[in-house]
Amino acid sequence: MSNGKKHILIVDDSPGDIQFLMENLKDKYAILVATSGAKALELAVHEPKPEVVLMDVMMPEMDGYETCRRLKENEETQGIDVIFVSANDTTEEILKGYDTGGRDYIVKPVRPEELMQKVDLAIDDNRKRHEASSEKQYAMDAAMAAIMDSGELGCVVGFLRNSFELNDISSLAKSIVEATDGFGLSSSVQLRSEWEIVNEGSGAQVAPLEKELLMRLKDSGRIIEKDKRLILNYGDVSQLIKNMPDDEAKRGRLRDHLAIIIEGADSQLQKLKVDRELKSIIVDSKETLESVVHMQAENKQKAVEIMDNVMSKLNSSFMSYGLSEEQEEALVAVVESGVGASLDNFEHGLNIDKEIDVILQRLAKLVKDSL
């Protein structure tokens, strides 16, 4: 009995590896085990079906890649997430896993916390995918209706026009995906900045393997094509198209449209970066000026106190100096002259305060408007 637990299928020909995976997962998940690719295909079509398959890559007769490919070709099992488990961490191996339909990749020796994290994430994404299926279908229908009405070029123009009104990276990423959906294409996009990396896709979630591929291939050229897959890179924006059409004319036309969208998206992304930096500068400048005003007020108060103290000490010490009345008057006149000059400077400082206050009000308005 599984007691309502989600089912995980472990596919491995090594008893030791199977035992390790079972020990780390059995408390939370119901475990199914297959020691070959053929047995895995058999178990996957029978109830209870697994939601996630942990697939060893190196197995006799049928390796993990071929087993995954066959799972994805079968309508009954194509929705099962496959996480490859391998000692090989090369980009070529990850690409093989992605090409055959894998969701994620765990490198041996397996760390228990990484294993549980990736399995939990796959289970949660699968739940969200089912919950969002009706909403996604509605969105796709709306996108297809839009393309019938406005055409391919309309999607490009619409994206460029709307992008000018976007003020955060997440909205820009969603807008790229929506424009691409308008062409009937399924995609994932990645936008990179100093403070965050945003991934957005046509589905409910972007698979970890897709995020890894976009990051690894961001510096590999502007356009990378293989079969139905297209990767576009421009500046800090990368996009993966999963289902490019076979018709060469349409493929070329869409490639050009997508390149314009990605280039326009990167321009807007750079603008958002500059806006963020300007906002930071404005806030810092406002805080600095406020600090200057505060220090100036303290200095003025101290200056007045010092002048009062000097006059007080001077008057109280005249008796001990033995000065004549004429000398006392002359000395007081000198000190009062200095005090008068200080007061004039004090009044000038008040005028500076008024000018700084105007600047602070303008900065406060800029900060409010930028939020």
Side-chain angles (χ1 to χ4, degrees), residues 3-206:
N3 296 324
K5 294 180 178 179
K6 302 295 184 181
H7 286 77
I8 307 295
L9 173 58
I10 298 173
V11 186
D12 202 312
D13 62 334
S14 168
D17 288 347
I18 291 174
Q19 183 64 28
F20 174 82
L21 295 174
M22 288 183 63
E23 286 297 322
N24 284 280
L25 295 171
K26 66 181 182 180
D27 291 340
K28 189 171 184 179
Y29 297 106
I31 307 300
L32 304 171
V33 175
T35 56
S36 67
K39 184 63 176 177
L41 295 175
E42 179 183 336
L43 289 176
V45 296
H46 290 96
E47 297 294 340
K49 290 183 180 179
E51 293 206 23
V52 176
V53 176
L54 292 172
M55 183 78 71
D56 184 28
V57 172
M58 300 302 295
M59 293 186 295
E61 297 182 11
M62 186 188 306
D63 65 16
Y65 297 134
E66 179 61 25
T67 305
C68 181
R69 183 179 290 107
R70 295 193 186 188
L71 284 172
K72 296 303 178 179
E73 289 174 350
N74 187 339
E75 290 185 359
E76 293 186 63
T77 58
Q78 62 186 199
I80 300 174
D81 284 329
V82 176
I83 299 177
F84 287 106
V85 182
S86 172
N88 196 331
D89 187 28
T90 65
T91 299
E92 289 74 18
E93 288 296 311
I94 290 178
L95 281 170
K96 284 183 182 179
Y98 180 76
D99 284 338
T100 57
R103 166 198 165 83
D104 209 344
Y105 213 95
I106 300 177
V107 180
K108 295 180 180 179
V110 178
R111 293 184 292 109
E113 58 275 13
E114 180 186 14
L115 171 68
M116 185 61 71
Q117 181 186 44
K118 288 181 178 288
V119 171
D120 287 347
L121 180 60
I123 293 292
D124 189 56
D125 285 353
N126 193 36
R127 175 185 60 80
K128 292 177 180 177
R129 191 161 55 240
H130 286 305
E131 291 176 352
S133 60
S134 59
E135 183 178 344
K136 287 194 302 179
Q137 185 60 48
Y138 175 82
M140 181 58 72
D141 292 342
M144 294 305 295
I147 195 173
M148 294 295 292
D149 292 338
S150 60
E152 295 172 357
L153 191 57
C155 290
V156 177
V157 174
F159 167 79
L160 295 176
R161 182 176 60 248
N162 294 334
S163 67
F164 298 141
E165 301 175 2
L166 303 176
N167 54 17
D168 65 85
I169 297 180
S170 294
S171 297
L172 181 59
K174 290 178 181 178
S175 184
I176 296 171
V177 172
E178 289 171 0
T180 307
D181 287 346
F183 297 127
L185 299 175
S186 178
S187 69
S188 296
V189 66
Q190 183 179 90
L191 278 66
R192 299 171 292 273
S193 71
E194 295 79 7
W195 63 91
E196 66 178 331
I197 297 176
V198 174
N199 293 278
E200 188 70 36
S202 299
Q205 299 291 324
V206 179

